[in-house]
Amino acid sequence: MQSIRPELQAAGFAIYAVSYDSVEILNSFAVKHGVDYPLLSDEGSQVIRSLGILNDAAVETVFGIPHPGTFVLNEDGTVRSKHFYSSYRERDSGVGVLEHLLGLEAGSHGAMSEAETTGVTVRGWFDKDTYAWGQRIWLTVELQIADGLHVYGRPIPEGYYPLAVEIEPLERLIIGEAEFPAPVPFRVEGLDERFHVYEGCVGVRVPVTFMLVDGGTLEVAVTVSFQACSASECLVPQTVRMVLPIGELPLVDRPQQRT
């Protein structure tokens, strides 16, 4: 997460990490990985236990490790929001925390793919250009819709085509549920159906978790389907397919996993 620190500072945030490791171990880890924000030692897991985030479930093959997650605090120490996973195996990338949890914009992303259709430009990218085992990375699909046109959302009457984003399955790739912004109500004169549409620029985000090691560079195929219409006519439904490359984080830089 050290790469996102300038964006956090510019927005008035400070970042701290808490671990049950000793000060010596944390110092060695910080020097090795170039971490320049405070790493706080909680030997004995007293604070971790008090927060209720220690994984002590007997069903886990590994226990005694804090659930990975993030607390966002106000200046007075009040918890504004929190985001945690049920297993230590899955965790957000630094850019994912920055953009998805804090609502800030990162200075860089993964490679972008772009496709042009009549009245709509479609772009897609991952929030970073490398993956690591157990890391959740966000796919963003952005549609730039021409003035005078709209794209249908849900709910939608039968016979029309809503905006849809799908990632083609890959082995050991966990694809989460797509997050769509709320569409706006729309009425067509002379029709009884009620529509919900997107106009202008709309972004859809999909969480993807990589549960593989030594997978090398992957090509993740993304399909975007939609129908663009004006107030008087509809264009032919479109399906755009993009292929996004993402490389594997080098072994020396991978976050250490405890077994």
Side-chain angles (χ1 to χ4, degrees):
M1 293 177 63
Q2 55 268 39
S3 61
I4 68 172
R5 193 164 181 260
E7 291 94 329
L8 287 168
Q9 288 181 323
F13 285 91
I15 183 172
Y16 300 88
V18 180
S19 169
Y20 57 65
D21 290 308
S22 67
V23 172
E24 291 75 15
I25 291 176
L26 292 179
N27 182 66
S28 176
F29 179 88
V31 171
K32 178 179 179 180
H33 295 280
V35 179
D36 59 357
Y37 52 84
L39 303 180
L40 307 181
S41 173
D42 179 29
E43 287 193 80
S45 300
Q46 295 183 18
V47 173
I48 291 169
R49 291 179 188 277
S50 69
L51 293 173
I53 59 174
L54 185 69
N55 174 17
D56 55 4
V59 295
E60 288 278 0
T61 57
V62 177
F63 57 91
I65 294 178
H67 294 289
T70 304
F71 287 101
V72 181
L73 280 67
N74 292 330
E75 291 182 355
D76 62 2
T78 302
V79 175
R80 191 179 79 185
S81 63
K82 58 183 178 180
H83 186 67
F84 279 81
Y85 295 117
S86 60
S87 172
Y88 82 97
R89 295 182 177 89
E90 188 175 4
R91 61 200 68 208
D92 279 310
S93 67
V95 176
V97 171
L98 186 74
E99 296 194 331
H100 185 65
L101 188 58
L102 302 181
L104 304 177
E105 184 175 350
S108 62
H109 298 99
M112 177 185 291
S113 180
E114 181 174 315
E116 295 274 356
T117 69
T118 303
V120 180
T121 300
V122 183
R123 301 182 181 92
W125 66 88
F126 285 112
D127 61 24
K128 60 194 300 287
D129 56 8
T130 57
Y131 68 89
W133 182 90
Q135 190 172 66
R136 172 176 285 196
I137 296 175
W138 289 85
L139 164 73
T140 296
V141 172
E142 181 182 271
L143 278 69
Q144 185 65 53
I145 306 166
D147 292 342
L149 294 178
H150 57 259
V151 167
Y152 291 116
R154 296 180 184 274
I156 189 169
E158 186 177 354
Y160 295 86
Y161 297 85
L163 173 62
V165 175
E166 296 183 357
I167 299 176
E168 295 181 13
L170 284 174
E171 186 177 3
R172 300 188 67 78
L173 189 68
I174 301 174
I175 303 169
E177 185 175 352
E179 296 185 358
F180 292 81
V184 298
F186 184 82
R187 296 296 298 269
V188 177
E189 187 176 352
L191 295 181
D192 294 331
E193 291 97 337
R194 295 185 178 183
F195 300 94
H196 294 80
V197 303
Y198 300 109
E199 297 176 317
C201 184
V202 55
V204 180
R205 306 186 73 211
V206 186
V208 180
T209 303
F210 295 79
M211 300 300 296
L212 70 165
V213 177
D214 296 329
T217 298
L218 301 177
E219 292 188 338
V220 182
V222 181
T223 301
V224 184
S225 304
F226 57 89
Q227 184 176 25
C229 299
S230 68
S232 58
E233 63 177 345
C234 281
L235 304 178
V236 176
Q238 299 285 334
T239 297
V240 172
R241 186 177 185 271
M242 300 179 292
V243 177
L244 300 175
I246 184 167
E248 187 172 22
L249 191 69
L251 180 61
V252 67
D253 294 327
R254 287 180 189 155
Q256 295 180 350
Q257 304 293 336
R258 295 183 177 275
T259 57

